[in-house]
Amino acid sequence: MTPAFEALQKELKRLPGVGFRSAERMAIYLLLEKPEAAERLSEAILRARECVRSCSVCGNVCEDELCSICADSRREESGSLCVVEHVSDLMAIEKSGAYRGRYHVLHGKLSPINGVGPENLNLDGLAKRIEEEGVGELILALPNDVEGEATCHYLTELVESDKVEVSRIGFGLPSGASVLYADSGTLKSALDARKRY
Amino acid sequence: MTPAFEALQKELKRLPGVGFRSAERMAIYLLLEKPEAAERLSEAILRARECVRSCSVCGNVCEDELCSICADSRREESGSLCVVEHVSDLMAIEKSGAYRGRYHVLHGKLSPINGVGPENLNLDGLAKRIEEEGVGELILALPNDVEGEATCHYLTELVESDKVEVSRIGFGLPSGASVLYADSGTLKSALDARKRY
């Protein structure tokens, strides 16, 4: 409606999951409804940009040299390293409480069709970590899709050591789900992953 | 995960339609994936906060004293004034191209249960506008709910002039919709609003 309004809407629309209409709604909120929230958001962005960086070991978010997980020596005791695509995947696993080892965040997955090769992923320190941290199991918590599959394949070839067991997380019916409402891809995964009962 | 990260996530979560998980996703995007977008968003917020204000006549967003609609004299010729709840409603009607008159934005609707009375709405200039701008028709484009109904009732009593016709936008099946998938409230509205064919 006005140049500055449209400029703000355009920037908000760049955020993941935000469409034209949501960006418009957010801009109105920030400019007319809760002006104090606008200043606070802008400050929080600048402050976080100053403080928050990528952990030099695993790629998680941190404010020091190491993230809280890499700095926690008890995490090393598990002897396992969990490879994830994004920091948000790491956060989801942490919230589940189902894993207490360390992580390695790739910040992406192999996708030749989108021009993402191994050089675009956070792979530099991975082989060194596996050796130096005495990793016994490399758990691949990557997506259940073609790119996830390709990335797992690449990582398995990268390890090539008898000392390290490489595993990939299970696929199948989500918790609480019934066969009736599952899509074909999930049912195929679930059937492929069947276990002796 | 870190204090500055959590502070940013909290501010993002305040935006309309943004939950915990989306805010986390957005924060990661701004801090790790597209740092340049973070600076641009922060600047766009501050710049829009400086420039954008509420039109002193109708309540729309503007950068000058009057918004582009109030400043456009051809808009007055239609002799109609369309009352909307939010600026986003105004924008939606403008995009439809179905109306070329002027607007009045209430920035809310009457809702005693939420403590919103007439004094909380942008009503001050409305009676004066109707008189001075020679409004022939007051079109109430307010929501099809209890609060929208109450607000329409209040506005009708406020006008009380034989010179002004007060109308309310139609309710019923949305464009392209079928009866089968309409909810009960919509079907009730549609039946109540039936017209001789």
Side-chain angles (χ1 to χ4, degrees):
Chain A
M1 298 295 287
T2 83
F5 182 92
E6 278 170 7
L8 173 57
Q9 186 182 1
K10 194 176 145 198
E11 291 305 326
L12 287 165
K13 195 171 161 290
R14 286 184 210 275
L15 293 171
V18 176
F20 183 87
R21 188 64 69 188
S22 321
E24 184 182 273
R25 181 79 196 80
M26 288 174 180
I28 290 167
Y29 173 84
L30 290 172
L31 297 175
L32 298 183
E33 294 171 25
K34 283 273 152 59
E36 67 279 13
E39 263 93 51
R40 280 208 310 265
L41 173 57
S42 176
E43 276 161 29
I45 293 172
L46 294 179
R47 172 144 176 72
R49 278 284 296 138
E50 258 173 43
C51 304
V52 180
R53 40 204 235 66
S54 202
C55 173
S56 58
V57 174
C58 76
N60 186 14
V61 288
C62 65
E63 298 194 13
D64 305 303
E65 179 64 22
L66 293 182
C67 75
S68 56
I69 295 173
C70 287
D72 181 355
S73 59
R74 287 167 304 177
R75 292 290 189 130
E76 203 174 327
E77 288 164 17
S78 85
S80 58
L81 191 63
C82 179
V83 180
V84 293
E85 185 185 0
H86 292 301
V87 173
S88 40
D89 301 333
L90 178 159
M91 289 176 175
I93 295 174
E94 279 297 291
K95 254 167 232 154
S96 77
Y99 175 74
R100 302 306 290 169
R102 288 189 171 171
Y103 294 91
H104 196 85
V105 185
L106 300 181
H107 297 303
K109 53 185 177 180
L110 290 182
S111 177
I113 213 165
N114 296 310
V116 183
E119 67 283 3
N120 304 113
L121 302 180
N122 176 31
L123 284 167
D124 281 350
L126 184 56
K128 208 174 144 204
R129 283 192 74 185
I130 292 172
E131 196 167 321
E132 288 181 1
E133 295 182 23
V135 172
E137 184 180 6
L138 190 72
I139 302 172
L140 307 177
L142 293 165
N144 182 2
D145 58 20
V146 179
E147 289 97 346
E149 180 69 35
T151 313
C152 286
H153 190 73
Y154 180 87
L155 290 172
T156 310
E157 299 219 321
L158 193 78
V159 175
E160 267 193 4
S161 157
D162 293 344
K163 279 183 268 173
V164 187
E165 193 184 331
V166 182
S167 61
R168 190 173 180 191
I169 56 165
F171 297 132
L173 276 194
S175 169
S178 79
V179 171
L180 178 60
Y181 299 110
D183 62 288
S184 318
T186 301
L187 290 179
K188 187 178 181 311
S189 288
L191 285 166
D192 287 347
R194 69 188 180 278
K195 280 187 193 164
R196 202 171 187 121
Y197 193 67
Chain B
M1 300 295 289
T2 83
F5 182 94
E6 279 170 5
L8 172 58
Q9 187 182 1
K10 197 176 143 199
E11 291 305 327
L12 287 165
K13 197 172 159 289
R14 286 185 211 274
L15 293 171
V18 176
F20 183 87
R21 186 65 68 189
S22 320
E24 185 181 273
R25 181 79 196 83
M26 288 173 180
I28 290 169
Y29 173 84
L30 290 173
L31 297 175
L32 299 183
E33 295 172 25
K34 284 273 151 62
E36 68 279 10
E39 262 93 52
R40 279 208 310 264
L41 173 57
S42 177
E43 276 161 29
I45 293 171
L46 294 180
R47 174 149 173 71
R49 279 285 294 137
E50 257 173 44
C51 305
V52 180
R53 41 207 234 65
S54 199
C55 173
S56 59
V57 174
C58 75
N60 186 13
V61 289
C62 65
E63 298 194 14
D64 305 302
E65 179 66 22
L66 293 182
C67 75
S68 56
I69 295 173
C70 286
D72 180 356
S73 60
R74 286 166 305 176
R75 292 290 189 131
E76 203 173 329
E77 288 164 16
S78 85
S80 58
L81 191 63
C82 179
V83 180
V84 292
E85 186 185 0
H86 293 301
V87 174
S88 39
D89 302 331
L90 178 159
M91 290 177 176
I93 296 175
E94 281 296 292
K95 254 167 235 158
S96 77
Y99 175 74
R100 302 305 291 170
R102 287 189 172 171
Y103 293 91
H104 197 84
V105 185
L106 299 181
H107 297 303
K109 54 186 177 180
L110 290 181
S111 177
I113 211 165
N114 295 311
V116 183
E119 67 282 5
N120 304 111
L121 301 181
N122 176 32
L123 284 167
D124 281 352
L126 184 57
K128 207 175 145 204
R129 282 192 75 184
I130 292 171
E131 195 167 322
E132 288 181 0
E133 295 183 21
V135 172
E137 184 178 7
L138 189 72
I139 303 172
L140 306 177
L142 293 165
N144 181 3
D145 58 19
V146 180
E147 289 98 347
E149 179 69 38
T151 313
C152 286
H153 191 76
Y154 180 88
L155 289 172
T156 310
E157 298 219 319
L158 193 81
V159 174
E160 267 193 1
S161 157
D162 294 344
K163 278 184 267 172
V164 186
E165 193 183 332
V166 182
S167 61
R168 191 173 181 192
I169 55 165
F171 295 132
L173 276 195
S175 168
S178 78
V179 170
L180 178 60
Y181 298 110
D183 63 289
S184 318
T186 300
L187 290 180
K188 190 179 178 310
S189 286
L191 285 166
D192 287 349
R194 68 188 181 279
K195 281 186 194 163
R196 199 169 192 127
Y197 194 69

mmCIF file of all heavy atoms in Angstrom, chain A residues 159-184:
data_model
loop_
_atom_site.group_PDB
_atom_site.id
_atom_site.type_symbol
_atom_site.label_atom_id
_atom_site.label_comp_id
_atom_site.label_asym_id
_atom_site.label_seq_id
_atom_site.Cartn_x
_atom_site.Cartn_y
_atom_site.Cartn_z
ATOM 1 N N VAL A 159 32.740 -43.117 5.449
ATOM 2 C CA VAL A 159 33.226 -43.667 6.716
ATOM 3 C C VAL A 159 34.217 -44.811 6.449
ATOM 4 O O VAL A 159 35.375 -44.732 6.842
ATOM 5 C CB VAL A 159 32.055 -44.137 7.606
ATOM 6 C CG1 VAL A 159 32.571 -44.815 8.863
ATOM 7 C CG2 VAL A 159 31.185 -42.939 7.962
ATOM 8 N N GLU A 160 33.753 -45.828 5.771
ATOM 9 C CA GLU A 160 34.632 -46.946 5.379
ATOM 10 C C GLU A 160 35.616 -47.373 6.464
ATOM 11 O O GLU A 160 36.818 -47.458 6.228
ATOM 12 C CB GLU A 160 35.439 -46.569 4.125
ATOM 13 C CG GLU A 160 34.744 -47.020 2.851
ATOM 14 C CD GLU A 160 35.669 -46.927 1.636
ATOM 15 O OE1 GLU A 160 36.840 -46.584 1.803
ATOM 16 O OE2 GLU A 160 35.196 -47.225 0.543
ATOM 17 N N SER A 161 35.132 -47.572 7.644
ATOM 18 C CA SER A 161 36.002 -48.065 8.718
ATOM 19 C C SER A 161 35.255 -49.173 9.434
ATOM 20 O O SER A 161 34.052 -49.063 9.686
ATOM 21 C CB SER A 161 36.331 -46.927 9.686
ATOM 22 O OG SER A 161 36.684 -47.474 10.942
ATOM 23 N N ASP A 162 35.930 -50.235 9.764
ATOM 24 C CA ASP A 162 35.264 -51.351 10.426
ATOM 25 C C ASP A 162 34.883 -51.016 11.865
ATOM 26 O O ASP A 162 34.043 -51.664 12.467
ATOM 27 C CB ASP A 162 36.194 -52.587 10.436
ATOM 28 C CG ASP A 162 36.401 -53.103 9.016
ATOM 29 O OD1 ASP A 162 35.606 -52.701 8.132
ATOM 30 O OD2 ASP A 162 37.352 -53.872 8.794
ATOM 31 N N LYS A 163 35.557 -49.975 12.403
ATOM 32 C CA LYS A 163 35.318 -49.620 13.803
ATOM 33 C C LYS A 163 33.988 -48.889 14.010
ATOM 34 O O LYS A 163 33.481 -48.785 15.117
ATOM 35 C CB LYS A 163 36.471 -48.753 14.328
ATOM 36 C CG LYS A 163 37.694 -49.578 14.732
ATOM 37 C CD LYS A 163 38.778 -48.694 15.316
ATOM 38 C CE LYS A 163 39.733 -48.237 14.239
ATOM 39 N NZ LYS A 163 40.720 -47.254 14.690
ATOM 40 N N VAL A 164 33.461 -48.310 12.936
ATOM 41 C CA VAL A 164 32.244 -47.505 13.063
ATOM 42 C C VAL A 164 31.050 -48.223 12.444
ATOM 43 O O VAL A 164 31.073 -48.617 11.285
ATOM 44 C CB VAL A 164 32.415 -46.137 12.358
ATOM 45 C CG1 VAL A 164 31.214 -45.257 12.651
ATOM 46 C CG2 VAL A 164 33.701 -45.465 12.787
ATOM 47 N N GLU A 165 30.004 -48.362 13.257
ATOM 48 C CA GLU A 165 28.765 -48.927 12.737
ATOM 49 C C GLU A 165 27.900 -47.777 12.213
ATOM 50 O O GLU A 165 27.712 -46.782 12.921
ATOM 51 C CB GLU A 165 28.039 -49.661 13.871
ATOM 52 C CG GLU A 165 26.918 -50.548 13.396
ATOM 53 C CD GLU A 165 26.176 -51.169 14.586
ATOM 54 O OE1 GLU A 165 26.816 -51.371 15.640
ATOM 55 O OE2 GLU A 165 24.979 -51.440 14.441
ATOM 56 N N VAL A 166 27.413 -47.894 10.998
ATOM 57 C CA VAL A 166 26.533 -46.847 10.459
ATOM 58 C C VAL A 166 25.096 -47.354 10.468
ATOM 59 O O VAL A 166 24.824 -48.454 9.994
ATOM 60 C CB VAL A 166 26.944 -46.468 9.016
ATOM 61 C CG1 VAL A 166 26.044 -45.341 8.499
ATOM 62 C CG2 VAL A 166 28.401 -46.035 8.957
ATOM 63 N N SER A 167 24.201 -46.580 11.071
ATOM 64 C CA SER A 167 22.789 -46.985 11.081
ATOM 65 C C SER A 167 21.932 -45.836 10.582
ATOM 66 O O SER A 167 22.353 -44.681 10.581
ATOM 67 C CB SER A 167 22.351 -47.364 12.496
ATOM 68 O OG SER A 167 22.489 -46.251 13.348
ATOM 69 N N ARG A 168 20.753 -46.162 10.146
ATOM 70 C CA ARG A 168 19.825 -45.118 9.698
ATOM 71 C C ARG A 168 18.539 -45.252 10.500
ATOM 72 O O ARG A 168 18.104 -46.372 10.777
ATOM 73 C CB ARG A 168 19.541 -45.297 8.198
ATOM 74 C CG ARG A 168 18.798 -44.125 7.602
ATOM 75 C CD ARG A 168 18.670 -44.219 6.100
ATOM 76 N NE ARG A 168 17.952 -43.065 5.591
ATOM 77 C CZ ARG A 168 17.484 -42.942 4.355
ATOM 78 N NH1 ARG A 168 17.691 -43.906 3.486
ATOM 79 N NH2 ARG A 168 16.821 -41.867 3.992
ATOM 80 N N ILE A 169 17.926 -44.133 10.882
ATOM 81 C CA ILE A 169 16.714 -44.211 11.704
ATOM 82 C C ILE A 169 15.611 -44.965 10.967
ATOM 83 O O ILE A 169 15.579 -44.991 9.742
ATOM 84 C CB ILE A 169 16.193 -42.819 12.135
ATOM 85 C CG1 ILE A 169 15.947 -41.914 10.926
ATOM 86 C CG2 ILE A 169 17.129 -42.158 13.126
ATOM 87 C CD1 ILE A 169 15.104 -40.689 11.253
ATOM 88 N N GLY A 170 14.698 -45.564 11.750
ATOM 89 C CA GLY A 170 13.623 -46.367 11.181
ATOM 90 C C GLY A 170 12.570 -45.553 10.459
ATOM 91 O O GLY A 170 12.360 -44.369 10.747
ATOM 92 N N PHE A 171 11.911 -46.187 9.508
ATOM 93 C CA PHE A 171 10.822 -45.544 8.780
ATOM 94 C C PHE A 171 9.577 -46.394 8.895
ATOM 95 O O PHE A 171 9.661 -47.616 9.003
ATOM 96 C CB PHE A 171 11.175 -45.397 7.300
ATOM 97 C CG PHE A 171 12.356 -44.507 7.074
ATOM 98 C CD1 PHE A 171 13.395 -44.890 6.242
ATOM 99 C CD2 PHE A 171 12.429 -43.281 7.711
ATOM 100 C CE1 PHE A 171 14.481 -44.059 6.046
ATOM 101 C CE2 PHE A 171 13.513 -42.441 7.516
ATOM 102 C CZ PHE A 171 14.546 -42.841 6.676
ATOM 103 N N GLY A 172 8.432 -45.781 8.872
ATOM 104 C CA GLY A 172 7.184 -46.524 8.939
ATOM 105 C C GLY A 172 6.051 -45.659 9.464
ATOM 106 O O GLY A 172 6.072 -44.437 9.310
ATOM 107 N N LEU A 173 5.066 -46.279 10.085
ATOM 108 C CA LEU A 173 3.908 -45.568 10.622
ATOM 109 C C LEU A 173 4.322 -44.633 11.746
ATOM 110 O O LEU A 173 4.992 -45.062 12.675
ATOM 111 C CB LEU A 173 2.920 -46.562 11.227
ATOM 112 C CG LEU A 173 1.920 -47.269 10.342
ATOM 113 C CD1 LEU A 173 0.857 -47.909 11.236
ATOM 114 C CD2 LEU A 173 1.262 -46.320 9.372
ATOM 115 N N PRO A 174 3.929 -43.361 11.711
ATOM 116 C CA PRO A 174 4.223 -42.471 12.840
ATOM 117 C C PRO A 174 3.490 -42.958 14.089
ATOM 118 O O PRO A 174 2.496 -43.688 13.976
ATOM 119 C CB PRO A 174 3.661 -41.121 12.399
ATOM 120 C CG PRO A 174 3.361 -41.236 10.948
ATOM 121 C CD PRO A 174 3.152 -42.689 10.668
ATOM 122 N N SER A 175 3.975 -42.531 15.244
ATOM 123 C CA SER A 175 3.362 -42.907 16.513
ATOM 124 C C SER A 175 1.888 -42.498 16.541
ATOM 125 O O SER A 175 1.543 -41.366 16.222
ATOM 126 C CB SER A 175 4.131 -42.209 17.633
ATOM 127 O OG SER A 175 3.459 -42.331 18.841
ATOM 128 N N GLY A 176 1.025 -43.437 16.922
ATOM 129 C CA GLY A 176 -0.408 -43.129 17.027
ATOM 130 C C GLY A 176 -1.170 -43.216 15.722
ATOM 131 O O GLY A 176 -2.389 -43.053 15.702
ATOM 132 N N ALA A 177 -0.475 -43.453 14.622
ATOM 133 C CA ALA A 177 -1.144 -43.452 13.316
ATOM 134 C C ALA A 177 -1.724 -44.817 12.988
ATOM 135 O O ALA A 177 -1.268 -45.835 13.497
ATOM 136 C CB ALA A 177 -0.159 -43.039 12.232
ATOM 137 N N SER A 178 -2.722 -44.830 12.144
ATOM 138 C CA SER A 178 -3.286 -46.103 11.699
ATOM 139 C C SER A 178 -2.973 -46.301 10.216
ATOM 140 O O SER A 178 -2.727 -45.339 9.489
ATOM 141 C CB SER A 178 -4.792 -46.127 11.936
ATOM 142 O OG SER A 178 -5.438 -45.405 10.919
ATOM 143 N N VAL A 179 -2.995 -47.530 9.779
ATOM 144 C CA VAL A 179 -2.684 -47.864 8.388
ATOM 145 C C VAL A 179 -3.646 -47.147 7.437
ATOM 146 O O VAL A 179 -3.257 -46.653 6.377
ATOM 147 C CB VAL A 179 -2.763 -49.396 8.193
ATOM 148 C CG1 VAL A 179 -2.676 -49.771 6.721
ATOM 149 C CG2 VAL A 179 -1.647 -50.073 8.981
ATOM 150 N N LEU A 180 -4.907 -47.050 7.887
ATOM 151 C CA LEU A 180 -5.963 -46.472 7.054
ATOM 152 C C LEU A 180 -5.609 -45.104 6.478
ATOM 153 O O LEU A 180 -5.855 -44.820 5.309
ATOM 154 C CB LEU A 180 -7.236 -46.372 7.910
ATOM 155 C CG LEU A 180 -8.474 -45.755 7.260
ATOM 156 C CD1 LEU A 180 -8.879 -46.557 6.047
ATOM 157 C CD2 LEU A 180 -9.610 -45.666 8.264
ATOM 158 N N TYR A 181 -5.007 -44.239 7.320
ATOM 159 C CA TYR A 181 -4.758 -42.865 6.882
ATOM 160 C C TYR A 181 -3.326 -42.621 6.397
ATOM 161 O O TYR A 181 -2.970 -41.492 6.079
ATOM 162 C CB TYR A 181 -5.108 -41.890 8.007
ATOM 163 C CG TYR A 181 -6.564 -41.973 8.389
ATOM 164 C CD1 TYR A 181 -6.965 -42.515 9.601
ATOM 165 C CD2 TYR A 181 -7.539 -41.543 7.492
ATOM 166 C CE1 TYR A 181 -8.304 -42.620 9.931
ATOM 167 C CE2 TYR A 181 -8.878 -41.643 7.815
ATOM 168 C CZ TYR A 181 -9.262 -42.178 9.037
ATOM 169 O OH TYR A 181 -10.584 -42.271 9.339
ATOM 170 N N ALA A 182 -2.509 -43.652 6.377
ATOM 171 C CA ALA A 182 -1.124 -43.468 5.936
ATOM 172 C C ALA A 182 -1.062 -43.394 4.407
ATOM 173 O O ALA A 182 -1.817 -44.072 3.716
ATOM 174 C CB ALA A 182 -0.270 -44.614 6.448
ATOM 175 N N ASP A 183 -0.156 -42.569 3.871
ATOM 176 C CA ASP A 183 -0.019 -42.482 2.413
ATOM 177 C C ASP A 183 0.791 -43.671 1.894
ATOM 178 O O ASP A 183 1.429 -44.399 2.661
ATOM 179 C CB ASP A 183 0.652 -41.158 2.023
ATOM 180 C CG ASP A 183 2.044 -41.049 2.581
ATOM 181 O OD1 ASP A 183 2.175 -40.865 3.818
ATOM 182 O OD2 ASP A 183 3.008 -41.185 1.818
ATOM 183 N N SER A 184 0.772 -43.845 0.578
ATOM 184 C CA SER A 184 1.411 -45.018 -0.027
ATOM 185 C C SER A 184 2.898 -45.081 0.287
ATOM 186 O O SER A 184 3.441 -46.169 0.529
ATOM 187 C CB SER A 184 1.251 -44.982 -1.545
ATOM 188 O OG SER A 184 -0.026 -44.581 -1.889
#
